[in-house]
Amino acid sequence: MPTDAITLNPTDSHHSLTIAPPNGGFCLRGKIQIPGDKSISHRALMLGALASGETIIHGLLLGEDPRSTAHCFRAMGAKISELNTDRVTVQGIGLGQLQEPTDVLDSGNSGTTMRLMLGLLASHPGRFFTVTGDASLRSRPMLRVIKPLQEMGAQIWHRSGGYAPLAVQGQALKPIHYQSPIASAQVKSCILLAGLLTEGKTTVTEPALSRDHSERMLRAFGAEITVDPETCSATVTGSAQLHGQTVIVPGDISSAAFWMVAAAIVPGSDLTIENVGVNPTRTGILEVLQQMEADVTLENEREVAGEPVADVHVRHSQLKACTIAGDVIPRLIDEIPILAVAATCAEGTTVIKDAAELRVKESDRIAVMAAQLIQMGATVTELPDGLEITGKTPLHGAELDSHTDHRIAMSLAIAALIANGQTVIHRAEAAGISYPDFVPTLVRVSG
Ligand code: S3P
């Protein structure tokens, strides 16, 4: 590959990523190690901070989002080692012992940090907390967690419309059975964490099962928690003590998804993505790619520290369009931007429905992906709750923008690999939220 085919151009505050396919195009081959799972990383830091004793975390995601979580919990008394090695340690302070921070808790770009943390803050009687985030997070809806917490007796103040900055006066809460109108692991986890510090049994029922990493990890740390997959319910019993654990974080299937789609759509590709977490609440992407007739196989399937893991082998093949809707949506919600790229290469019309949640992610992922793919020549119609994409269309290089959304930045970089001509992606540094080594990895495997 010519050395200038993929270049990152730093400016003062933002980086633009330029991708210019060489004659004959790129071809992705070899083995890839992906960063630790973002959802599991947040939970390991939080439960480690709440537990008594030491928690040792291997494979933590060293991205911006977990750094926001570590920063907040350090400010409330947990001793968390620097996030710069494969082994991160957390000296917990014990359940119910979070200290009142002397400054605003800054969740950065991380919805998981803010929403999960709110359940804990609201249930710490006698402490006062203020919480904020970056411009994207301050525009994301918080009433989805504030309302059920208020039902439990929480005192929370917010900007009009339910946006951060927020203020929380911790209270002794009462348990509830919350029927969540949306399948959201952030909502479910927020209420379960509040329930951990609330006497009695707190239950959350969802319309479809969202990722269950909180339930698994709470159990591993010694909490009393039961789940009923039939009714999509989880119940936690309050006032338990948590005990520090060793956590091994699997690779993030949401990060692996970029390489899965890249290998599926770039001719001649043959990639193995190692150590991918394949928890069934996250594997919608595998099912959809198989439905699209991608050549995807799981190898070396195993269980590591309570989470299923496998190597994912993907080879280029001709994709077919499909419909992505219903209960699978929460199991691939973060992978829809990259699946939209795959759909531009699939024969027929791919319809993505029931995914209105995408409009309130780090960006409005429906509007942003539609606009950016149209700029590259794709045939895309925006739906209120999804996208309709007709393939296969040849993409051409264009000047694009991540809208500071990590998953948009990386999805567009993969689209650029198959485009004719040069693509420039502005604000590409957003990838560092969940994948700090994305660009070096792209350079390495696309040789
Ligand atoms: C997450 C849950 C999902 C997901 C987000 C991480 C989590 O959000 O999109 O990236 O770690 O609980 P929702 O709960 O809003 O669907």
Side-chain angles (χ1 to χ4, degrees), residues 38-40 42-43 112 115-116 140 144 183-187 189 210-211 213 333-334 357 361-362 365 407:
K38 181 160 79 66
S39 292
I40 297 176
H42 284 299
R43 287 155 174 83
T112 309
R115 295 198 178 114
L116 270 60
R140 294 180 67 187
R144 55 182 56 200
S184 158
Q186 292 181 356
V187 171
S189 306
S210 65
R211 63 193 68 192
H213 305 301
I333 188 72
D334 293 338
E357 273 295 301
K361 293 292 179 190
E362 286 84 330
R365 288 180 175 164
R407 299 204 196 281

Side-chain angles (χ1 to χ4, degrees), residues 315-349:
R315 280 179 286 228
H316 171 256
S317 60
Q318 177 53 56
L319 300 181
K320 297 268 181 315
C322 74
T323 296
I324 308 171
D327 284 3
V328 77
I329 294 291
R331 300 197 298 117
L332 49 63
I333 188 72
D334 293 338
E335 288 69 76
I336 292 176
I338 189 64
L339 280 170
V341 174
T344 69
C345 301
E347 277 168 2
T349 298

Side-chain angles (χ1 to χ4, degrees), residues 8 70 110 298 302 320 328 382 398:
L8 195 59
S110 174
L298 291 195
R302 56 213 187 264
K320 297 268 181 315
V328 77
E382 203 181 313

